[in-house]
Amino acid sequence: MFYVGIDDTDSKKGMCTTYLGALLADELSRYTSIKPKLVRLNPNIRWKTRGNAGICLEMRKKPKGVENLVLETVEEYAEIDDSNTHPGVVFYQGDKVPEEFSRFYEKCLHEVVTIDEAENLAISYGAEICKFKKGRGIIGALASIGSIFKDKTYELIAYREKKNWGKERKIDKKSVFKMNERTFPLTFNNVDNERILIAPHSPCPVLFGIRGEDPETLKRAFNMIKLGERIERKIIYETNQGTDAHLINVKRISDIKPYSSVILEGEVNSLPRVIKGGHVIFTVTDGSDSIECAAYEPTKEFRHIVKKLVPGDKVRVYGGVRSDPKKTINLEKIHVMKLAEMYREENPLCECGRRMESAGKNQGFRCRICKTFKGDKVRVKYPRELEERIYQVPPRAMRHISKPLVRELRTNTPKSSCA
Ligand SMILES: [Zn+2]
């Protein structure tokens, strides 16, 4: 087997590493069979505004001159002039990927790793690395080669003709909604209310991408999209998108490491509050420590769910942790496991069915009509507006790697099983 890993070729202004992968896959598939993989890595590391991802091309055999072709393509298409773009390429030949590469992939999902670490590991197994500028991309390139997907999905990506890059995308919105109706839930995150989510807004070569469970459904979905412009090429990537591969279970708050993404069970111990910018914050305790959980403004209607929590609610929170000392959990999902019972006090009811009125301070209550009296207020269970189930941020605020609830229910992997 021959493996090519590539990462960090794009910038905010354009390009997309997946496009380089598609160009190379088209060229190299004339010589050997290729499996292209799109590998999402730790979403809490923000070198860029766009998602943290590398690609890997797995080949049955090594095509002649493949290294030159790959490096020339990266040189030609990567946004090397952008100060924040540091491409990296890794080549590896072997029967299978070393286990240490796979452990490195896991590490890249949950932690911060250095360029040196990637370089040393690659060299120790005889992999060839090529760094452009700082070469930060070798981290994602090596992780992509090492990636093993316990759960996987696919993405079909269609690319535009070069003359259209940066121009408005000509996609018939109605056809996208129709495609969604016909293929959901085998495809997912296509639309969100009135908006279509399959097309990016950057000036990159991507026209649109459809995510789904299997290549056949994606091909069907692709044929349902009506376009006002021509497609240059398309590719189907195997990917860890929509799988929650980044989340790990933690028992205690003290076990949470910065930059990791966790699933934590605990009890709400503060009333949610809205802070400047419209973010909603509350705290959860594991019995000894407390941690802040946040539903940020872009999660829109999800915040209204979170606002209804009260102290005593048992919850399981899912989300990423940044490096701030407080280690706030940026919520992606919340499982409301057990709602606390809430009571309010009301005036007693009379036998005639009317609500009694106060008969004066410390005088009890009376029915004006029947002239009956009762001494005390009654405790009434307060209806909660939440259900005991999982709630998730809307698709437009969802991370590429996060598992949509519709998949959660289908696949039901132990990591995120719903009780
Ligand atoms: Zn009465």
Side-chain angles (χ1 to χ4, degrees):
M1 298 286 289
F2 189 71
Y3 303 85
V4 178
I6 308 173
D7 192 18
D8 208 351
T9 68
D10 49 8
S11 78
K12 271 179 240 175
K13 294 192 293 274
M15 202 27 64
C16 177
T17 305
T18 70
Y19 179 66
L20 263 83
L23 281 175
L24 290 167
D26 282 347
E27 182 63 26
L28 293 167
S29 61
R30 296 194 284 153
Y31 309 101
T32 180
S33 68
I34 296 183
K35 180 162 84 174
K37 289 162 82 180
L38 168 57
V39 185
R40 295 282 167 188
L41 300 167
N42 192 339
N44 303 315
I45 299 174
R46 294 283 176 91
W47 305 121
K48 311 238 155 137
T49 53
R50 291 165 65 191
N52 187 7
I55 61 143
C56 172
L57 302 176
E58 287 184 20
M59 287 163 244
R60 279 282 146 143
K61 57 177 202 268
K62 182 182 172 184
K64 212 175 157 197
V66 56
E67 291 103 329
N68 280 339
L69 175 72
V70 171
L71 297 177
E72 279 164 22
T73 307
V74 171
E75 250 164 52
E76 187 178 343
Y77 287 94
E79 294 272 309
I80 292 178
D81 295 338
D82 191 286
S83 62
N84 199 24
T85 299
H86 302 278
V89 177
V90 177
F91 300 111
Y92 180 75
Q93 189 163 19
D95 294 338
K96 61 184 180 74
V97 169
E99 273 173 36
E100 245 190 284
F101 286 10
S102 301
R103 280 196 289 276
F104 182 75
Y105 158 67
E106 290 289 333
K107 196 173 179 189
C108 289
L109 281 170
H110 310 303
E111 296 175 32
V112 183
V113 296
T114 63
I115 299 172
D116 283 349
E117 204 175 336
E119 185 161 355
N120 293 335
L121 177 59
I123 289 169
S124 72
Y125 281 90
E128 197 184 328
I129 57 166
C130 301
K131 299 194 283 183
F132 296 80
K133 292 158 67 186
K134 286 184 195 161
R136 187 174 60 208
I138 65 165
I139 298 171
L142 185 64
S144 298
I145 291 175
S147 64
I148 290 177
F149 300 153
K150 291 170 197 133
D151 178 18
K152 66 185 174 193
T153 64
Y154 294 85
E155 180 165 0
L156 183 154
I157 309 178
Y159 300 95
R160 327 179 69 185
E161 291 181 310
K162 196 166 182 179
K163 62 176 189 198
N164 291 324
W165 295 4
K167 290 186 193 157
E168 197 193 337
R169 289 173 171 81
K170 292 189 178 136
I171 301 172
D172 179 63
K173 232 174 120 172
K174 267 194 202 150
S175 72
V176 177
F177 280 93
K178 214 165 186 178
M179 176 277 283
N180 185 60
E181 270 168 39
R182 289 189 191 162
T183 60
F184 179 86
L186 291 178
T187 65
F188 51 84
N189 288 2
N190 298 311
V191 297
D192 188 345
N193 291 319
E194 301 296 294
R195 286 168 63 170
I196 66 163
L197 299 180
I198 64 169
H201 297 286
S202 56
C204 74
V206 175
L207 181 58
F208 64 85
I210 309 174
R211 293 121 199 265
E213 299 292 335
D214 64 273
E216 290 315 309
T217 303
L218 291 180
K219 286 178 204 161
R220 248 184 345 113
F222 170 80
N223 287 325
M224 295 176 200
I225 307 292
K226 294 200 179 101
L227 298 169
E229 64 177 86
R230 284 170 58 128
I231 281 173
E232 187 202 74
R233 68 187 71 237
K234 62 180 193 294
I235 188 170
I236 296 179
Y237 280 104
E238 187 180 298
T239 167
N240 59 354
Q241 290 176 158
T243 67
D244 276 351
H246 60 314
L247 294 174
I248 42 173
N249 279 297
V250 287
K251 279 264 181 303
R252 312 215 64 87
I253 289 166
S254 54
D255 298 334
I256 297 176
K257 298 193 185 93
Y259 294 110
S260 67
S261 302
V262 298
I263 303 172
L264 171 78
E265 264 180 47
E267 193 173 300
V268 176
N269 68 341
S270 79
L271 269 177
R273 63 183 203 278
V274 182
I275 62 165
K276 202 179 153 205
H279 317 301
V280 180
I281 312 277
F282 64 96
T283 58
V284 161
T285 177
D286 61 4
S288 40
D289 297 308
S290 290
I291 191 164
E292 285 199 336
C293 299
Y296 291 111
E297 193 280 333
T299 66
K300 301 292 177 195
E301 58 265 34
F302 179 70
R303 296 171 302 161
H304 306 313
I305 301 292
V306 166
K307 267 192 252 177
K308 292 174 184 162
L309 292 165
V310 297
D313 285 342
K314 298 240 180 359
V315 293
R316 186 184 284 148
V317 293
Y318 302 67
V321 184
R322 297 282 181 80
S323 61
D324 58 306
K326 279 194 296 189
K327 294 198 289 190
T328 303
I329 296 178
N330 176 2
L331 290 179
E332 296 168 18
K333 282 191 257 260
I334 185 164
H335 186 170
V336 180
M337 299 170 73
K338 185 90 183 91
L339 287 166
E341 290 187 349
M342 281 176 74
Y343 293 92
R344 68 175 169 221
E345 298 208 311
E346 282 182 355
N347 294 359
L349 282 177
C350 172
E351 270 131 44
C352 75
R354 289 186 182 85
R355 180 81 51 201
M356 290 179 148
E357 295 169 359
S358 172
K361 206 175 177 206
N362 299 325
Q363 302 287 304
F365 302 89
R366 65 160 182 221
C367 175
R368 241 192 321 171
I369 310 296
C370 311
K371 309 291 179 201
T372 47
F373 278 86
K374 276 185 186 171
D376 298 309
K377 286 199 171 195
V378 286
R379 248 159 64 99
V380 181
K381 205 167 165 183
Y382 194 86
R384 297 292 307 272
E385 288 170 48
L386 286 175
E387 290 170 50
E388 289 172 353
R389 68 168 181 89
I390 301 183
Y391 293 93
Q392 184 167 37
V393 302
R396 63 190 180 282
M398 207 179 288
R399 289 171 152 176
H400 297 291
I401 199 165
S402 289
K403 189 196 278 190
L405 277 188
V406 59
R407 291 204 74 237
E408 186 100 34
L409 303 171
R410 279 169 50 87
T411 54
N412 201 22
T413 52
K415 189 189 251 181
S416 45
S417 64
C418 338

